[in-house]
Amino acid sequence: MSTRTRRTVLATALTAAVLLPAAPVVAQPPPTGADVRADVDRDGVVDVTGRSDEAGEDRWTPDRGAVFLPNIDDDAARCRTTGPDGKPLPDARLDRCNDASDEQVNGQEDEKDLARLRTVPVPRAADGATGTLRIASGASHVRLFLKRPAGWEPVTSATRLSAAELRKGVELGLEGKDVVRDRARWDGTAHIDFTLTSGGTSSSDRVVLRVAPLLTHHHLQRAEQLLVTQLPGSDAYATAQRKFVRQLDAEAERAGITEPSVKFTQHRDVWAQDFVEPAYASMPGPGGKPRSLRIMLRSAQDLRTSGRQLFEKLRGPGVGVVQLWGAKPSEDPSLDSMGNLETIPPYTHQGRSFPAGRVIMGERKDSGAKPAAAVRKLLEAQGAQSPLLLDTSWLAVGHVDEFVQFLPAATGRGWKIGIADPEAGMKILRDAAAAGHGAKKVFSVPDAPQSPAPKETIAQALASPALRADNALAARRIKANLEVLRRATGVTDAEVVRVPALYTRGSATGQDGVRVPRLQRMGGRDAPPAAAEHGQRKGLSSAVRNTVETGAYVPGAVNGVLLGPDRYLAPRQWGPVINGRDVFAEAVTSAYRRAGLRISYIDDYHTYHIGAGEVHCGTNTLRDTSRPWWTPPGT
């Protein structure tokens, strides 16, 4: 088209625009009926002028629908763990106090924890018009507040909105009194009805909200703070354990974690991974960014008093605690420890999507024992991380963190599976023997006052039919569990990081049912009381108690802590030293480096390993909660 032609077309179009009459603008009539809105599109704003929050307001789906928080933190720091007489409150009473246990908004931070609703202004409301509000469903599980000039007040059956309030529109706030624990009792939704009455006629509107799910952390969330027990006392074990804590703090600082670690000091339970699972709940806040509460999920082990520390040390502003007190434990209480609960990072496979990741837990298929039903029911009720059960029958302690982990990776999926590899561990010993080093000791760890080092040589270990059988068993069971994970997630062999490991069976049960690993018997002593798995082996059935099961022989490298996207802290291997090099540590380092991780080591042999656990078992992490769980992975 020529320049002249383009000018003619443009001139014709402009003339037509001037000469043709403009389409009439039809003003939207002012609203005359009831209309209540919530943040249905999850952008952090309740839209009362447009229609972005109208579609789907009367139903809730994972993709659309307003969200409110289980307001169980303690923003005013008013909740106590002791009674008026100064004596500790019973454990069963510890969680009865939180921000939602009264009918007040406890300060500015508590106000931010309320999910907002608004009524659309009705400018032409008649002088005699009134409005009422009703929680039509979920009333016993939530509380609705109305904001008035004097502050927030709870909505009751007697609450009336005046004509002036209807004309201006009012602001409401909704809080949950708890998380969903059992969908048969409460599905987590609240139905809020608003009715406007004027001149003898009424109109009503309903909006449906759901409480934010309780979500466990996964390893694509950056570590922000560590939790660890720090023992008092001057005995050899406590002194060694405090040295571990100092080294842990130093490693955390090197990894860029700036928050000082939380030290549990009131109880002599060193297994900080096991009496708590850090979790969180979040809703859209200003700008659509999540407003989050940390929620500590206490293990369902009534005999484990160390869980009290979650109330004594952590509950407060922005932090709540959920406990399932009096829940019927599993047949094997060790399965109820939180080292038996880990989380697959977000994934989608075969039409199933888990934007917040998916929980894995161990069960004993050989005996039929599963984690406590109340815990499984609670996790299922969240509707987000449906637990996948793996078989841990072959392990003495029975926790999934003894053989599997999830590691960040620069791939389309964003993560890989780290898996213990007993076949690779046996090959290390066979290669060393073939090179003429059979007389070398398997362990290079020095003696400690509380636990002499084992003296077994490489040749003796390889000659042991029991050790060969133990690791063949471990390899078969791990392979079967890996297949379960592959079918669930679609992970390929290229997305599996195989980490050398060795396992050995226990053959005795110590006090309180604590399994005594073969490794400890070789050293000649049981683990110190503080290293025992507190309360985890009590109440075992004879079928479980008499089973011969397996534990880590060389410190389990997969039982470490991911300190950063590329920083991994593993237990020091203390393997055979050949030509000045720990050959087990070299192989483990190589495996993690190929996965893109920088690895460092911490000595846990005489503090955790002898008690049938490792670094992961003795620590815990609070992780970043800034990513919205309601958006698909990658968005």
Side-chain angles (χ1 to χ4, degrees):
M1 183 183 295
S2 68
T3 302
R4 177 176 296 178
T5 303
R6 283 199 299 270
R7 287 175 178 169
T8 301
V9 171
L10 178 60
T12 303
L14 289 173
T15 302
V18 172
L19 296 178
L20 292 176
V25 176
V26 180
Q28 292 292 329
T32 58
D35 192 348
V36 61
R37 307 274 181 90
D39 184 17
V40 174
D41 65 356
R42 303 174 187 170
D43 65 352
V45 177
V46 180
D47 180 7
V48 293
T49 59
R51 294 188 171 181
S52 62
D53 283 326
E54 274 194 309
E57 67 172 7
D58 57 351
R59 58 188 180 276
W60 198 95
T61 71
D63 300 320
R64 187 173 173 84
V67 181
F68 61 97
L69 290 177
N71 195 16
I72 59 173
D73 63 334
D74 180 20
D75 284 319
R78 62 187 178 84
C79 298
R80 301 175 60 86
T81 56
T82 57
D85 57 1
K87 294 181 180 180
L89 291 173
D91 282 25
R93 288 185 54 191
L94 289 174
D95 60 354
R96 295 182 187 176
C97 179
N98 53 56
D99 283 345
S101 63
D102 62 15
E103 295 189 341
Q104 300 178 27
V105 176
N106 299 287
Q108 292 183 349
E109 287 304 307
D110 192 26
E111 184 178 4
K112 295 176 184 177
D113 292 337
L114 300 178
R116 296 302 199 270
L117 300 87
R118 295 180 183 274
T119 63
V120 175
V122 184
R124 297 180 182 178
D127 287 344
T130 61
T132 58
L133 297 155
R134 183 174 73 100
I135 304 172
S137 176
S140 62
H141 302 281
V142 302
R143 184 175 289 106
L144 184 64
F145 291 95
L146 169 63
K147 191 172 187 179
R148 281 182 160 152
W152 292 93
E153 60 182 59
V155 172
T156 70
S157 59
T159 300
R160 295 292 182 270
L161 303 183
S162 68
E165 288 176 316
L166 294 172
R167 293 175 189 133
K168 187 177 180 180
V170 299
E171 182 178 7
L172 306 164
L174 185 69
E175 68 177 3
K177 298 179 183 179
D178 199 0
V179 300
V180 181
R181 296 175 183 246
D182 182 349
R183 288 184 64 87
R185 296 185 177 183
W186 181 42
D187 67 359
T189 62
H191 297 193
I192 309 299
D193 287 352
F194 168 46
T195 300
L196 189 156
T197 302
S198 180
T201 61
S202 297
S203 62
S204 296
D205 190 33
R206 169 175 291 181
V207 64
V208 176
L209 303 91
R210 190 190 190 279
V211 69
L214 175 73
L215 301 172
T216 58
H217 289 297
H218 57 77
H219 281 172
L220 300 192
Q221 296 169 304
R222 184 182 291 271
E224 295 183 336
Q225 192 171 25
L226 300 185
L227 314 178
V228 64
T229 296
Q230 180 170 282
L231 293 178
S234 57
D235 60 278
Y237 183 82
T239 300
Q241 199 272 338
R242 288 197 299 275
K243 180 180 178 182
F244 171 89
V245 173
R246 291 194 298 271
Q247 293 173 339
L248 180 72
D249 284 342
E251 291 291 343
E253 184 177 357
R254 277 194 283 272
I257 297 175
T258 57
E259 289 291 327
S261 61
V262 174
K263 309 293 196 304
F264 296 121
T265 57
Q266 290 96 322
H267 298 261
R268 294 182 65 86
D269 183 346
V270 299
W271 307 105
Q273 181 68 216
D274 287 344
F275 55 80
V276 58
E277 182 68 26
Y280 66 102
S282 56
M283 68 177 181
K289 295 181 179 179
R291 170 72 177 176
S292 299
L293 296 180
R294 293 198 183 278
I295 299 177
M296 304 295 110
L297 180 57
R298 184 178 181 178
S299 65
Q301 297 167 313
D302 289 6
L303 296 175
R304 199 163 201 160
T305 57
S306 47
R308 288 184 58 91
Q309 296 172 108
L310 307 179
F311 298 94
E312 296 163 343
K313 299 281 288 187
L314 289 173
R315 180 177 60 183
V319 182
V321 181
V322 166
Q323 65 178 7
L324 298 164
W325 206 249
K328 183 179 179 181
S330 65
E331 184 182 6
D332 179 356
S334 182
L335 297 179
D336 299 331
S337 290
M338 294 307 187
N340 193 36
L341 191 162
E342 293 299 311
T343 308
I344 306 171
Y347 74 92
T348 298
H349 181 59
Q350 293 183 339
R352 298 193 71 184
S353 183
F354 296 90
R358 186 179 186 184
V359 165
I360 59 169
M361 303 180 80
E363 63 174 334
R364 295 192 183 277
K365 286 190 175 180
D366 292 358
S367 67
K370 299 178 184 292
V375 175
R376 289 182 283 122
K377 190 173 292 184
L378 179 145
L379 293 170
E380 286 282 4
Q382 308 313 308
Q385 296 178 314
S386 177
L388 176 68
L389 296 182
L390 303 180
D391 181 19
T392 56
S393 303
W394 55 286
L395 290 163
V397 175
H399 296 176
V400 291
D401 70 350
E402 297 179 74
F403 68 93
V404 66
Q405 62 186 181
F406 302 93
L407 303 169
T411 64
R413 187 183 301 276
W415 53 271
K416 294 184 177 182
I417 295 177
I419 201 84
D421 187 352
E423 292 177 340
M426 291 298 292
K427 185 175 185 301
I428 291 173
L429 297 185
R430 289 196 300 269
D431 288 350
H437 303 294
K440 292 282 187 179
K441 288 191 292 186
V442 174
F443 295 93
S444 53
V445 62
D447 289 340
Q450 73 274 16
S451 55
K455 310 302 180 186
E456 195 168 32
T457 66
I458 292 174
Q460 289 171 332
L462 290 172
S464 167
L467 189 66
R468 294 197 302 270
D470 294 346
N471 282 281
L473 168 68
R476 288 195 303 273
R477 296 298 186 98
I478 291 172
K479 181 179 180 181
N481 280 310
L482 181 57
E483 286 306 309
V484 173
L485 289 168
R486 279 177 163 170
R487 288 195 298 271
T489 65
V491 162
T492 65
D493 193 61
E495 297 173 297
V496 176
V497 180
R498 300 181 184 278
V499 182
L502 286 175
Y503 291 89
T504 185
R505 297 193 199 191
S507 61
T509 302
Q511 292 182 341
D512 296 331
V514 176
R515 186 72 60 173
V516 180
R518 174 174 177 267
L519 179 60
Q520 293 169 230
R521 292 189 295 105
M522 290 177 357
R525 293 186 190 175
D526 292 351
E533 291 276 351
H534 282 254
Q536 295 185 175
R537 306 297 289 180
K538 293 183 179 180
L540 294 182
S541 69
S542 59
V544 174
R545 186 166 55 247
N546 295 331
T547 302
V548 177
E549 297 157 330
T550 311
Y553 182 48
V554 173
V558 296
N559 198 298
V561 183
L562 188 76
L563 296 176
D566 64 344
R567 297 292 295 266
Y568 183 68
L569 180 63
R572 183 168 177 176
Q573 296 297 279
W574 292 114
V577 174
I578 298 173
N579 297 325
R581 297 176 289 113
D582 181 336
V583 293
F584 232 92
E586 280 195 336
V588 168
T589 297
S590 178
Y592 281 106
R593 282 181 177 169
R594 289 196 300 272
L597 293 168
R598 291 183 288 169
I599 186 170
S600 54
Y601 293 93
I602 185 171
D603 181 11
D604 76 344
Y605 190 97
H606 293 295
T607 48
Y608 296 95
H609 179 66
I610 59 172
E614 308 291 356
V615 181
H616 188 264
C617 301
T619 62
N620 225 313
T621 51
L622 303 182
R623 296 185 175 273
D624 174 61
T625 63
S626 64
R627 190 189 181 283
W629 55 264
W630 51 88
T631 60
T635 59

